Structures are given as structure tokens and as C-alpha cells.
Amino acid sequence: MPYPTQPTASHFIDGAYVEDAGGEVIEVVYPATGAVIARLHSATPAIIDRALDAAARAQAEWATWTGTQRGRVLRRAADIMRARNRDLSVLETYDTGKPLSETLVADATSAADALEYFGGLAGSLTGEHIPLGGGDFVYTRREPLGVCVGIGAWNYPTQIAAWKGAPALACGNAMVFKPSEMTPLCALKVAEILHEAGAPAGLYNVVQGMGAVGAALVTDPRVAKVSLTGSVPTGRKVYAAAAAEMKHVTMELGGKSPLVIFADADLDSAVSGAILANFYSTGQVCSNGTRVFVERSIRPAFVARMIERLNAGVVMGDPLDEATNFGPMANAKQLAIVEGYIAKGQAEGATLAHGGKRVGNEGYYIEPTIFTDVTDDMTIAREEIFGPVLSVLDFDTEEEALARANATEFGLAAGVFTQDLTRAHRMVAGFQAGTCYINTFNLAPVEAPFGGVKMSGVGRENSKEAINHYSEVKSVYVAMNPCEAPF
Ligand code: NDP
């Protein structure tokens, strides 16, 4: 199937597309049809070596540029991305199956926001001056870490490549990025655009491959930092491998986030929140609020309105048709996982209130699904499904809702819908989660820190917080008087 922006080779290294047909073949499948739309090759050890060497070389040069010069490159890249938004969105749709109506507003645009935001910050990244007694002082230097490795999941391939690359580059680092082998195309465009915007050759490289390529990157001594977006089991492995060499890490991992809806909430607004929290990107969002705790008195009305809205509003179909707002799952494996959870939900006694079935004969479509009568111990209420499956759980009191919301190993996001101002703030103060929402859900503007606590991760992406995770501070003590010693 032809698509407009097909990359010309598997990897982008040292400012150019590079192929090494010796690497294992990666077939890129369009999730709407199951058709193979591209064949790429996994990185061989020689390719990995080339990428890391190029990154180390480019980083040494890039670190001598002023922050303003670095920022200019990032902001130019943001402009190019915005100008090519449609082509990049079509590519994202081919890569992930997400509807074009969504990719046009959420992917290259979000990547461009990150490049623009961190481009704007680059010139103001400074240390501080700390006066001490006797005229002595300390000043700090904010220094880059060196070569950073980014490893991405398959749900937001353009966004993840930029959310990691933009702060890394703003701080004076270089990056070698490995996309998920399920969605290998988009990150190549991020690399190409950064190069076109004036980044030195080798500053942002993309190498393809499965977990083994990621593992080779993580353990290489040339690498100073690893930022992973992925599942908790992968996070454990990558964190452990990085720890062996005392490397910096950012871990953006999975979740099973709670969304608590009180009886005083505006019902339609709460239903909108639950839709955003469960069905955007066909439910393949790490921060999804899949445990929807609804105060018992409004549960029937909430579920009825939810189903009404899905029946009236969901347009499932060709993701390239802009009328479509609900696409397929991103790959066959994930579809099978989701079907498995739906079967488990039924087997464990939850009520399938809506959806639950595959749709069509081709592609990986599944209906938006709602379970009611879900209890906290059921598998669908405990494990991350990463698909369009919403669980409704009843509750009676605020204390109970908060305790149950926090009774999970995850802590990525949490949300509350209520008109009671003080209760809203009490709830978010009590949530064990890195990202909280009051009367909305799942928005992730680049200006706000994003990340998890507990098993959901380490570190924060976006915002000024990300700067702390892509730079380190050198402390310099300056003596203004002769040095004295005890003997
Ligand atoms: P995986 O954990 O399976 O994979 C993530 C990435 O890590 C992939 O590129 C994968 O390569 C790579 N990888 C796998 N094993 C290793 C290893 N040993 N060393 C280094 N790299 C490795 O996640 P998915 O791609 O299935 O993505 C879904 C998960 O991502 C969900 O749990 C979701 O919650 C989470 N996620 C978190 C987000 C956040 O910001 N917190 C955002 C989006 C998703 P390959 O795929 O090629 O095997």
C-alpha cells in the first residue's frame, strides 16, 4: 500500500538514512487491514556501534553551542513538523492505526509542542551562584549527561520520540532512539526533520529492533542515560541493566489508574472524562483511568448515559477517513491480549454492559467495552489491559473511594469528578499518582510534568522538571582567600 512519506531505509544515523540488510526483517503492518506496508531491518551490532559513535561525536560538538543556538534548531524543527502535520499524521495512522481525526491533532502537533517548548527553554538553562562566608562562593554548572538512549512504546511513536529527544537535545545531549518494532516509521521522520532543521549529523539517531537492540543500547558504556516508555516488566529489566552501570534513567511505564466520580459531578462532563480516560487511541494510553469508581446512587444513570454516548458517537472504520473517531488496536498481539481480558472479565463474574466483540473481518478492530459489577479483586480491575475496556466499580464514601483507588501497585494517573472544591483537592492530595486530574482526564500538555509513582515509573517527562532528568549539576567551590589546612 503506498503512503506519502515512506522512509527510504531502516535507520537514521549520522544525518542520513542507513540500511543493513543483514538485520532481521521487521514487517510493518497497517492495523486497519493487516497488510504489510513496509519491510525494515533490525539493527545489527555494526549499526548500533555506528549510531553510538555518531552520537558521541555529535554530542561533543553540540555541547559547545550556546543554548540559544540549540533552541533555534529545536524551534525550526517544530515549525517543519507543523508545516508537514498532515503527512506526518497519515504516517502515524499507518504506523499505529489511530484515526487521522486523532493523529492530526495529537501526535506531530504534540511533538512540535515539545520541540518548541524545550527550544524556548534551552537558552535559559543556567546554574546558580551561592554566596558563602568570607567572600567564598559556589557556582553550579548545568551540564549535559552525554549520549542518551530513548526506547519507545507503540502507541505514540512520534510523540515519544520527541518527548525524549527535545529535552535531551535542549540540555546539550545526543540521542539514539529505538522505536517499538511494531511502529518503527515515525521516529525516522523526527530524526530527519531535526537534521533538516540544522542539528549536527549524529545528534539524533534512530535504530530499529526488538528488545535485544534496546538491551544492547542500554548496556553500552558510551550511554549515560536511558529513557524508556513501556511496560512494567520491561521497565524492571531496563532499570536493572542501567543500574549496573549507575546510568540515569527515566521510566514511563504502565498504569491502572482510578477515575472517581462523585454523585454531585456534572454527569455529562463525567461521562466525557470517562470516554477520554478509556477510549481515546482505542484505549492504548498508559495513563488511562480504567478503574471508574462511580458513587452508587448515580451508577445506573452514569452507565446508561455512557452507553448512549458510545452508541451515538463512536464512528469505527477506515482510520484515514476523517469521520472515523475509533480505530483498530495497533497490532494483532495486543488485540488478542484485550480479547483475553474481556473473556476473563466475564469468567470472573463481571457484567458485560457494552461491546466486547471484534468487528469486521480484516484489521484489529474491537468494540469499546464496558464492564459493570466489577470488584477490586477481579483481574480486569487489577492488571493493565491497554485496550478499550472500562470497568465500573461502585463506592459509597470518599474515604473508601480513595483507599480503593490507591490499592494498586501502579501510580501513573488519577482523576476525580465533583463540584465540591474542597473534596476535589482532598482527593488529589491523597491520590498516590504522579499526574492528577480534577474534572477532566488524560490531558498531557508539554508545560506540565508527566510521570508516575510506585511501579508506574521514575522521573518526569515534559515541563521544566524534565531538564533535571537530562542534565546534571556540577558544583564549583571558589575560594577567595588563601587555602588553610590543619597541619
Ligand atoms: P514493552 O515494554 O513491551 O516495550 C517497550 C519498548 O522496550 C519497546 O521498544 C521494546 O522493544 C523495548 N524492549 C523490550 N525489552 C527490552 C529490553 N530487555 N531492553 C531494552 N528494551 C526493551 O511495551 P509496549 O511497546 O508493549 O507498550 C505498552 C506499554 O507501554 C504499556 O504498559 C503502557 O502502559 C506503556 N506506556 C507508558 C507510557 C507512559 O508514559 N508512562 C506511555 C505509553 C505506553 P520491542 O517492542 O521492539 O520488543
Side-chain angles (χ1 to χ4, degrees):
M1 181 177 302
Y3 57 97
T5 47
Q6 180 151 7
T8 52
S10 300
H11 318 288
F12 193 91
I13 299 174
D14 215 1
Y17 278 104
V18 175
E19 194 57 274
D20 179 350
E24 196 183 330
V25 173
I26 296 172
E27 290 193 330
V28 187
V29 173
Y30 181 39
T33 60
V36 175
I37 53 165
R39 280 190 178 79
L40 304 182
H41 292 275
S42 182
T44 56
I47 286 285
I48 295 171
D49 194 51
R50 248 170 100 175
L52 288 171
D53 260 354
R57 211 175 343 99
Q59 195 270 327
E61 181 198 335
W62 181 245
T64 67
W65 292 31
T66 67
T68 304
Q69 290 169 325
R70 295 200 293 258
R72 198 174 300 141
V73 170
L74 298 189
R75 283 181 291 104
R76 246 187 246 136
D79 291 345
I80 297 172
M81 277 207 159
R82 290 216 173 85
R84 294 187 197 152
N85 183 41
R86 180 160 284 270
D87 274 2
L88 294 169
S89 302
V90 168
L91 188 67
E92 175 98 16
T93 291
Y94 274 112
D95 225 1
T96 61
K98 290 185 293 183
L100 191 56
S101 62
E102 202 182 298
T103 55
L104 280 170
V105 296
D107 293 284
T109 52
S110 151
D113 282 356
L115 290 163
E116 188 173 1
Y117 177 84
F118 287 105
L121 277 188
S124 63
L125 302 178
T126 57
E128 59 178 340
H129 172 266
I130 303 161
L132 300 167
D136 288 3
F137 61 94
V138 163
Y139 68 93
T140 61
R141 293 167 49 91
R142 183 163 291 282
E143 297 187 343
L145 301 174
V147 174
C148 300
V149 159
I151 301 177
W154 41 257
N155 55 346
Y156 283 84
T158 306
Q159 184 188 84
I160 294 172
W163 278 18
K164 298 188 188 310
L169 269 47
C171 292
N173 304 288
M175 174 147 281
V176 177
F177 187 82
K178 188 204 85 67
S180 164
E181 97 273 7
M182 303 282 189
T183 53
L185 302 175
C186 297
L188 291 165
K189 287 289 160 189
V190 175
E192 190 187 310
I193 286 169
L194 277 163
H195 186 63
E196 193 179 329
L203 192 69
Y204 190 105
N205 310 275
V206 174
V207 298
Q208 307 294 348
M210 336 283 170
V213 171
L217 289 169
V218 172
T219 49
D220 193 282
R222 283 165 287 190
V223 172
K225 181 202 165 111
V226 181
S227 177
L228 169 80
T229 296
S231 61
V232 170
T234 304
R236 272 206 177 96
K237 280 189 239 165
V238 172
Y239 199 174
E245 303 295 327
M246 219 54 84
K247 291 176 184 176
H248 297 248
V249 297
T250 299
M251 295 281 142
E252 292 292 350
L253 309 177
K256 190 74 197 174
S257 300
L259 171 59
V260 181
I261 297 171
F262 285 95
D264 68 349
D266 177 283
L267 187 68
D268 260 305
S269 176
V271 168
S272 295
I275 289 171
L276 288 180
N278 285 275
F279 300 127
Y280 201 69
S281 302
T282 315
Q284 300 162 115
V285 180
C286 51
S287 48
N288 267 1
T290 47
R291 291 183 295 139
V292 182
F293 293 92
V294 183
E295 194 165 347
R296 197 176 304 275
S297 61
I298 60 157
R299 201 255 291 157
F302 174 84
V303 174
R305 188 73 187 115
M306 189 81 209
I307 293 173
E308 227 174 84
R309 291 269 300 268
L310 293 182
N311 283 335
V314 171
V315 182
M316 206 186 297
D318 174 5
L320 292 166
D321 177 346
E322 282 181 55
T324 298
N325 60 20
F326 195 87
M329 300 297 303
N331 54 71
K333 185 173 155 215
Q334 192 60 27
L335 173 65
I337 291 172
V338 172
E339 285 185 290
Y341 277 112
I342 291 171
K344 215 166 226 173
Q346 290 174 287
E348 291 181 10
T351 304
L352 183 62
H354 185 80
K357 291 188 300 296
R358 277 194 72 168
V359 178
N361 298 322
E362 63 169 19
Y364 312 133
Y365 289 90
I366 189 150
E367 292 172 318
T369 299
I370 300 176
F371 277 107
T372 53
D373 304 313
V374 180
T375 54
D376 296 358
D377 57 333
M378 289 181 185
T379 309
I380 56 168
R382 285 186 292 105
E383 297 182 7
E384 182 181 48
I385 298 174
F386 219 59
V389 183
L390 181 161
S391 291
V392 177
L393 303 107
D394 308 327
F395 75 90
D396 294 301
T397 68
E398 181 182 322
E399 297 69 28
E400 173 206 343
L402 183 62
R404 290 170 60 199
N406 285 337
T408 168
E409 60 173 350
F410 299 108
L412 191 50
V416 57
F417 274 78
T418 178
Q419 311 234 18
D420 180 336
L421 193 66
T422 53
R423 175 155 66 192
H425 292 292
R426 264 198 314 275
M427 286 294 288
V428 293
F431 280 143
Q432 295 166 358
T435 308
C436 292
Y437 298 97
I438 297 176
N439 293 335
T440 189
F441 208 87
N442 257 355
L443 306 176
V446 69
E447 295 86 353
F450 182 83
V453 301
K454 295 159 68 178
M455 293 304 285
S456 291
V458 174
R460 293 291 177 269
E461 297 201 297
N462 291 342
S463 80
K464 288 181 219 146
E465 277 295 316
I467 297 302
N468 297 324
H469 299 288
Y470 281 99
S471 60
E472 57 193 347
V473 169
K474 181 182 277 173
S475 185
V476 183
Y477 191 112
V478 181
M480 299 297 282
N481 301 292
C483 185
E484 285 177 14
F487 52 83

